[in-house]
């Protein structure tokens, strides 16, 4: 997969250093993957959830953090839309428009 918006991960990790290693591990696994459907994502990240509108939620660092990404299977692209704490994720009003 091609992670189009790695900058969001970098910026978040710079502000929250304890998230750096887990986020880079997520990035490496996602980049090495060739997802064709949600089942493929689940094989790579068992705790991932589909929330609709091509958006998927990934638990990072034992669910301390959450990452929301748009996954376009046909073009093999991943757009990171949100990286934050679990409580920050809970405050989001509508994940389908992020």
């Amino acid at each position: 997969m091609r992670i189009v918006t790695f900058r969001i991960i970098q910026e978040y990790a710079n502000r929250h250093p304890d998230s750096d290693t887990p986020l880079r591990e997520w990035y490496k696994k996602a980049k090495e993957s060739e997802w064709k459907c949600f089942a493929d994502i689940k094989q790579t990240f068992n705790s991932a959830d589909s929330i609709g509108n091509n958006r998927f939620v990934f638990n990072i660092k034992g669910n301390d953090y959450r990452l929301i990404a748009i996954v376009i299977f046909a073009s093999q692209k991943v757009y990171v839309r949100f990286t934050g704490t679990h409580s920050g994720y809970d405050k989001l009003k509508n994940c389908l428009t992020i």
Side-chain angles (χ1 to χ4, degrees):
M1 302 299 292
R2 180 169 176 242
I3 316 301
V4 177
T5 49
F6 182 67
R7 180 183 48 81
I8 291 173
I9 293 172
Q10 287 177 311
E11 290 172 356
Y12 190 82
N14 287 340
R15 292 190 313 272
H16 304 276
D18 68 317
S19 71
D20 185 56
T21 298
L23 284 169
R24 287 183 186 278
E25 288 171 1
W26 177 90
Y27 173 81
K28 184 177 183 216
K29 284 183 182 179
K31 186 178 178 183
E32 292 172 351
S33 298
E34 293 183 20
W35 299 325
K36 303 283 187 236
C37 62
F38 179 52
D40 293 341
I41 292 174
K42 290 291 275 187
Q43 286 183 340
T44 308
F45 299 104
N46 188 44
S47 63
D49 291 310
S50 173
I51 57 174
N53 202 21
N54 296 322
R55 285 158 175 79
F56 300 88
V57 177
F58 300 88
N59 296 325
I60 307 294
K61 194 182 175 214
N63 211 19
D64 286 351
Y65 299 100
R66 292 266 175 109
L67 183 145
I68 299 174
I70 298 172
V71 178
I72 309 299
F73 298 110
S75 61
Q76 293 286 287
K77 292 182 182 175
V78 176
Y79 298 88
V80 177
R81 305 300 296 156
F82 170 84
T83 304
T85 62
H86 193 283
S87 62
Y89 169 83
D90 289 341
K91 292 177 186 174
L92 294 175
K93 298 205 185 294
N94 188 354
C95 296
L96 299 179
T97 60
I98 288 181

